[in-house]
């Protein structure tokens, strides 16, 4: 596993800060946000690796940095950590060809496109960098990772807005099941804390604007004072491997992907329908593919973005779990990380795996007054020690796309 | 070394991330300095920008070494 985001660099560092109830949200420093209604975001902290922070030159050679947008930097950092952690460094042609990459992004190289547009607008089209297109293309994270490690198996990418991370891991697992690869490096990357990204989501009235002076309180899933999501940047990447293949080489195994379900709302471009039946069907499909029932699930990592849709997801989970809802723990880690868009599903799937490993449910920060009561324990404020063997991660995206992933301890 | 040669060298070091000592007049961008075809396109653009000259594509294709670049720019500047 590999991870970089608002809580810092490195899976163990991020996880321990998450469990401690720390927030990665602060005032936007990547640019001056004074003109915009939303002025807070989750940005990757800069500093030395040893402090759990990011110094890009420790990961991507300086001369290559300007050939790729920041979302590719993020993806490369997380993929590098994940590959190192997995110990999978194929040497033979056969092994390299059996190793693929599927890292997606919700939006891609937005800042790069913005900068290039200005160059063209200024009448300097002939001065456009030859690296502009490969810097902005979403599938270039997968491309760069394959080039770095020589992975010659399926090279693919997912673009399903905020569901990207879950779709990437779920689809990659199916490629392994289908025999296209033995090992898949999968996940999502995003870096849209830039003027165009913040302004665009502001225009869609999607971002929190009421907590500019208290950034740590801005992301508050299910709380009655929530007023929009908080954008985060970063990447999450896992190394998926066919079980016998992993066992045979004595690999470190965090968890097993046991179920994956998808659905479409067919309703609205940005809003889920009343009752969130799309979420209900995606979760149901994940359970069905795993041959499990709601009673088997111990923890749900909610999509829970800190928007009005939080209660619709809650309602869908309550409907699906029925009598089993009362023993369920469900939290939204976006309360601490913000919403990493295309990377969110991957990062949160990893939180599910770590929740299983450590038997800890990470907290939902800022859940002071739920707007809707529920029998489900939403792990308000502080992490909970509880037995977690099977966990479900939800991700829903603009366009009405829904994906759920089920993971189980080994 | 001429002012132009100095500036060319600086641009090459900056764009290709190579050590200054490797940027000799005979050094080939692709064979010795690790550039790929897109790097050379970008290099030529950087020369155009820095020296305020036009380097047409057919001329750019002939610029393979540091010396090629220096000679071309010096000739343009002298003209």
């Amino acid at each position: 596993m590999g991870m970089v985001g608002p809580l810092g660099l490195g899976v163990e560092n991020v996880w321990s800060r998450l469990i401690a109830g720390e927030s990665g949200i602060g005032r936007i420093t990547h640019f001056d946000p004074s003109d915009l209604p939303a002025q807070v975001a989750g940005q990757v902290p800069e500093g030395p690796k040893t402090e759990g922070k990011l110094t890009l030159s420790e990961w991507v050679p300086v001369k290559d940095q300007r050939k790729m947008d920041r979302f590719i930097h993020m993806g490369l950092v997380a993929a590098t950590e994940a590959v190192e952690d997995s110990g999978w460094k194929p040497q033979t042609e056969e092994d390299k060809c059996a190793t693929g990459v599927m890292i997606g992004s919700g939006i891609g190289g937005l800042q790069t496109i913005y900068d290039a547009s200005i160059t063209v607008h200024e009448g300097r089209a002939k001065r456009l960098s030859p690296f502009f297109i490969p810097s902005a293309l979403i599938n270039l994270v997968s491309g760069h990772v394959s080039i770095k490690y020589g992975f010659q198996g399926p090279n693919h990418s997912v673009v399903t807005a905020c569901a990207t991370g879950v779709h990437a891991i779920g689809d990659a697992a199916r490629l392994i099941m289908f025999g296209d690869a033995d090992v898949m490096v999968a996940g999502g990357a995003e870096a849209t804390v830039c003027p165009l990204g913040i302004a665009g989501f502001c225009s869609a009235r999607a971002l929190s604007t009421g907590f500019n002076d208290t950034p740590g309180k801005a992301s508050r899933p299910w709380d009655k004072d929530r007023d929009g999501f908080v954008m985060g940047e970063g990447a999450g990447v896992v190394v998926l491997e066919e079980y016998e293949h992993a066992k045979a080489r004595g690999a470190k195994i965090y968890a097993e992907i046991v179920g994956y379900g998808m659905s479409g709302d067919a309703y609205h471009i940005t809003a889920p329908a009343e009752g969130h039946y799309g979420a209900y069907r995606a979760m149901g499909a994940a359970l069905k593919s795993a041959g499990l029932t709601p009673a088997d699930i111990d923890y749900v990592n909610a999509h829970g973005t800190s928007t009005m849709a939080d209660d619709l997801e809650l309602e869908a989970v309550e409907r699906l779990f029925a009598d089993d809802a009362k023993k369920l723990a469900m939290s939204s880690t976006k309360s601490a990380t913000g919403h990493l868009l295309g990377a969110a599903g991957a990062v949160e799937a990893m939180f599910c795996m770590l929740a299983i490993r450590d038997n800890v449910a990470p907290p939902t920060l800022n859940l002071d007054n739920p707007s809707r009561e529920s029998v489900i324990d939403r792990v308000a404020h502080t992490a909970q020690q509880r037995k977690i063997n099977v966990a479900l991660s939800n991700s829903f995206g603009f366009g009405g796309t829904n994906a759920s992933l089920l993971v189980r301890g080994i | 070394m001429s002012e132009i040669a100095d500036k060319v060298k600086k641009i090459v070091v900056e764009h290709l991330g190579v050590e200054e000592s490797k940027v000799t007049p005979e050094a080939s961008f692709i064979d010795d300095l690790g550039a790929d075809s897109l790097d050379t396109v970008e290099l030529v653009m950087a020369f155009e920008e820095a020296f305020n000259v036009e380097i047409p594509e057919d001329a750019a294709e002939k610029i393979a070494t540091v010396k090629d670049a220096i000679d071309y720019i010096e000739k343009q500047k002298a003209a």
Side-chain angles (χ1 to χ4, degrees):
Chain A
M1 300 202 289
M3 201 185 279
V4 61
L7 286 172
L9 173 84
V11 170
E12 299 303 337
N13 169 49
V14 170
W15 178 239
S16 63
R17 293 193 64 195
L18 182 71
I19 292 306
E22 293 180 42
S23 167
I25 312 301
R27 185 173 171 83
I28 292 172
T29 55
H30 286 349
F31 64 95
D32 178 6
S34 304
D35 292 345
L36 294 166
Q39 299 172 3
V40 300
Q43 298 162 105
V44 173
E46 278 181 34
K49 199 194 305 196
T50 47
E51 289 176 20
K53 295 174 180 175
L54 180 66
T55 299
L56 195 56
S57 57
E58 292 180 333
W59 300 85
V60 183
V62 173
K63 74 175 171 71
D64 294 332
Q65 286 175 16
R66 62 195 163 74
K67 300 177 183 175
M68 29 180 125
D69 186 88
R70 185 170 171 84
F71 85 101
I72 301 179
H73 298 156
M74 296 291 138
L76 268 174
V77 170
T80 302
E81 190 196 4
V83 170
E84 297 297 329
D85 185 38
S86 77
W88 177 244
K89 297 274 180 68
Q91 300 301 320
T92 67
E93 225 22 49
E94 196 188 346
D95 283 345
K96 286 179 185 172
C97 291
T99 305
V101 190
M102 172 124 59
I103 300 171
S105 180
I107 296 180
L110 202 56
Q111 181 64 37
T112 294
I113 295 170
Y114 176 93
D115 292 339
S117 303
I118 290 172
T119 303
V120 173
H121 180 75
E122 288 172 343
R124 292 153 30 87
K126 282 170 75 182
R127 288 276 180 269
L128 204 54
S129 164
F131 298 106
F132 161 55
I133 296 291
S135 179
L137 290 181
I138 283 179
N139 69 301
L140 263 281
V141 183
S142 294
H144 279 289
V145 171
S146 73
I147 293 163
K148 178 169 180 175
Y149 290 105
F151 298 152
Q152 295 169 54
N155 200 269
H156 208 326
S157 194
V158 172
V159 183
T160 50
C162 308
T164 297
V166 165
H167 276 133
I169 294 175
D171 288 356
R174 291 203 172 163
L175 289 188
I176 293 174
M177 288 168 75
F178 210 71
D180 293 287
D182 291 329
V183 181
M184 288 295 298
V185 179
E190 204 76 78
T192 48
V193 182
C194 59
L196 208 50
I198 298 291
F201 280 102
C202 274
S203 288
R205 302 291 184 269
L207 294 181
S208 168
T209 57
F211 298 87
N212 288 336
D213 297 326
T214 49
K217 300 205 174 300
S219 186
R220 41 196 319 115
W222 298 300
D223 187 81
K224 72 172 175 49
D225 293 328
R226 69 190 185 276
D227 69 341
F229 80 81
V230 175
M231 196 187 289
E233 63 172 0
V237 174
V238 293
V239 176
L240 303 175
E241 192 165 350
E242 194 276 321
Y243 181 62
E244 294 301 332
H245 189 274
K247 224 172 66 176
R249 71 178 183 91
K252 171 169 155 193
I253 303 174
Y254 289 94
E256 184 185 7
I257 309 283
V258 289
Y260 173 44
M262 297 163 276
S263 73
D265 289 343
Y267 174 70
H268 187 266
I269 51 171
T270 61
E274 282 301 313
H276 216 327
Y277 282 89
Y280 176 82
R281 287 186 292 111
M283 290 186 281
L287 282 169
K288 189 179 166 208
S289 76
L292 296 176
T293 67
D296 298 314
I297 314 300
D298 305 300
Y299 170 69
V300 175
N301 188 297
H303 184 57
T305 55
S306 186
T307 61
M308 295 326 288
D310 297 355
D311 283 346
L312 300 178
E313 179 185 14
L314 177 62
E315 197 186 323
V317 172
E318 285 172 344
R319 191 183 315 118
L320 183 73
F321 281 73
D323 285 347
D324 296 311
K326 56 184 181 293
K327 66 170 193 67
L328 189 66
M330 172 161 82
S331 61
S332 171
T333 47
K334 289 187 180 78
S335 58
T337 63
H339 187 356
L340 274 62
L341 309 181
V347 166
E348 289 158 19
M350 278 183 261
F351 290 156
C352 284
M353 297 174 200
L354 294 162
I356 290 167
R357 185 192 69 181
D358 295 347
N359 288 305
V360 174
T364 304
L365 305 185
N366 303 315
L367 180 50
D368 300 334
N369 300 295
S371 58
R372 187 178 182 284
E373 289 305 323
S374 174
V375 295
I376 297 172
D377 188 334
R378 281 169 282 175
V379 202
H381 305 300
T382 40
Q384 290 175 11
Q385 203 74 44
R386 50 199 295 162
K387 180 76 199 138
I388 299 174
N389 189 41
V390 182
L392 177 80
S393 193
N394 279 340
S395 283
F396 315 130
F398 278 5
T401 175
N402 311 298
S404 298
L405 193 74
L406 264 172
V407 294
R408 182 168 61 193
I410 291 284
Chain B
M1 200 183 257
S2 74
E3 203 179 301
I4 288 174
D6 233 20
K7 211 157 150 189
V8 164
K9 206 168 156 176
K10 230 179 238 159
I11 291 169
V12 173
V13 167
E14 193 182 303
H15 278 258
L16 301 181
V18 288
E19 276 172 43
E20 212 177 318
S21 60
K22 289 197 172 153
V23 188
T24 59
E26 298 74 30
S28 152
F29 297 123
I30 290 179
D31 297 334
D32 303 317
L33 301 176
D36 64 18
S37 57
L38 292 182
D39 287 318
T40 59
V41 173
E42 200 188 35
L43 260 184
V44 167
M45 277 187 192
F47 295 148
E48 288 182 321
E49 187 96 355
F51 296 103
N52 198 21
V53 294
E54 279 277 337
I55 307 179
E57 213 157 306
D58 53 340
E61 277 168 17
K62 292 187 189 110
I63 298 176
T65 66
V66 176
K67 187 172 182 300
D68 291 343
I70 295 168
D71 288 351
Y72 185 87
I73 294 160
E74 279 180 342
K75 217 156 75 194
Q76 294 295 305
K77 283 294 184 189

